[in-house]
Amino acid sequence: MAPLPRLAPRLPNARRSVSPASGGRSYVKGALWSLLYVAFSTAIILSNKHIITETNFACPIAVSSLGSVFGWVVSLAAVGTGAVELKTKLSFRQWCVLVLPIGVCTAVSLAFANLAYVYLPLSFIQMVKAFAPVVTCAVLVAFGLDRFDANVALAIGVIVAGCFTASFGEIHARSAQLGLGCMLICEIAEAFRSAGMQYLLANRSFSLFDGLYYFSPATLLFLCALIYAFEWDDLKDPEHLRAVGANPGAFLAASCLGFFVNLASLAVIQSAGSLTLKIVSQLKNLVVIVAAVVLYDDVVTMLELAGYVVAMFGFAMYQEAKWK
């Protein structure tokens, strides 16, 4: 397979030696961004859940676009005022070929993740997210970006068994089937997004604000198409507009948190790699499960808990196999 074209010429890097102190700072930086990602992503999930299920604003795709709108406005303002200088200049053709597909995947992932809140309990959604490594591995192998490995296949088998066990009690309900379908589409889109993001961010001249500046409009463009196709009539409903006026704090929080989650995830990938982001995401899922039980009185059955524990064991096997 021919190598993919470089996004843009790298900026000339001065030769420098890496001291132990700088290595220590790098670990601390990665750890701090990881903690911020857990905090922001947990908060945005709870915020979106509150808006979609506790207010009268039943437009989950529109809710998923709030962070992209806020991120694009902030990045435009920062670049337009000269506060931030873009390190990578993209032509329109480069943006369409390299960035727009990632925006499409991000939009699909955000939209269907929020749609799942309509059909499934919050805690159960986080358990289903343990299935993500299975989808990611399948996508990478299918496109020749990774190779088949027996240890990885064994770990994937354990994850599949755990997820099937956790969902066994829910799968018979029609609403649960729709919710699981939404989550599967979300995970497939997220797998493509992660692969593309890691490729682009591997170019060190592509900064965090470059990511927000270029990715946000690409994501927002496709989200607007989904909103127009599925939620436009609902958005024009006066009842939904009154819901926004009655809960301004919730919508503002969702917008700001969406921006910070995007920023933190880009920073984790740059400072510690996409593998670390996957591990941190699983930690975030555990935090959200606890929050869902405490705040929303979600019921987690012993079967679901046992299946989730098995899936987490499989996830640990998967990470060890990938490291080896």
Side-chain angles (χ1 to χ4, degrees), residues 1 7 27 63 112 129-130 140 196 218 221 225 291 300 304:
M1 177 179 292
L7 171 65
Y27 283 120
V63 172
F112 279 89
K129 287 182 179 180
L140 293 177
L221 180 65
V300 178
E304 291 175 347

Side-chain angles (χ1 to χ4, degrees), residues 10-23:
R10 294 193 183 195
L11 298 180
N13 294 323
R15 297 176 61 88
R16 63 181 185 276
S17 60
V18 179
S19 66
S22 64

Side-chain angles (χ1 to χ4, degrees), residues 29-261:
K29 183 180 178 181
L32 288 177
W33 276 117
S34 297
L35 289 175
L36 287 173
Y37 174 78
V38 171
F40 291 141
S41 57
T42 300
I44 188 63
I45 289 173
L46 295 177
S47 176
N48 287 348
K49 167 71 173 178
H50 174 77
I51 292 175
I52 294 170
T53 62
E54 304 298 324
T55 71
N56 291 324
F57 194 80
C59 300
I61 300 177
V63 172
S64 66
S65 69
L66 295 176
S68 297
V69 172
F70 191 86
W72 193 26
V73 170
V74 170
S75 60
L76 282 176
V79 174
T81 59
V84 174
E85 183 179 355
L86 294 177
K87 294 185 178 181
T88 301
K89 306 294 185 180
L90 296 182
S91 66
F92 180 72
R93 181 179 179 277
Q94 287 177 313
W95 182 81
C96 291
V97 172
L98 298 172
V99 177
L100 191 57
I102 297 178
V104 172
C105 293
T106 305
V108 172
S109 176
L110 291 173
F112 279 89
N114 275 5
L115 279 172
Y117 294 141
V118 179
Y119 303 108
L120 296 173
L122 180 57
S123 58
F124 184 66
I125 289 175
Q126 306 312 308
M127 294 181 184
V128 173
K129 287 182 179 180
F131 195 71
V134 178
V135 180
T136 301
C137 184
V139 169
L140 293 177
V141 172
F143 282 85
L145 299 175
D146 203 349
R147 60 185 177 85
F148 178 83
D149 180 80
N151 291 327
V152 172
L154 177 61
I156 286 176
V158 175
I159 294 174
V160 171
C163 291
F164 178 79
T165 302
S167 60
F168 184 77
E170 301 276 350
I171 194 66
H172 303 292
R174 175 63 176 171
S175 61
Q177 294 172 6
L178 291 172
L180 289 172
C182 289
M183 289 305 301
L184 179 60
I185 295 173
C186 168
E187 296 297 349
I188 293 173
E190 184 63 25
F192 281 102
R193 173 186 176 273
S194 297
M197 290 284 285
Q198 185 171 6
Y199 167 68
L200 290 183
L201 292 177
N203 186 332
R204 294 303 178 183
S205 67
F206 206 77
S207 69
L208 296 182
F209 259 90
D210 288 354
L212 291 173
Y213 184 82
Y214 290 119
F215 293 145
S216 294
T219 302
L220 190 58
L221 180 65
F222 197 70
L223 279 173
C224 287
L226 291 175
I227 291 170
Y228 182 78
F230 298 105
E231 296 182 347
W232 186 245
D233 291 337
D234 291 333
L235 278 177
K236 295 188 297 182
D237 189 338
E239 183 178 352
H240 289 91
L241 298 178
R242 284 194 294 269
V244 177
N247 302 276
F251 285 89
L252 181 60
S255 301
C256 296
L257 289 169
F259 163 73
F260 286 119
V261 168

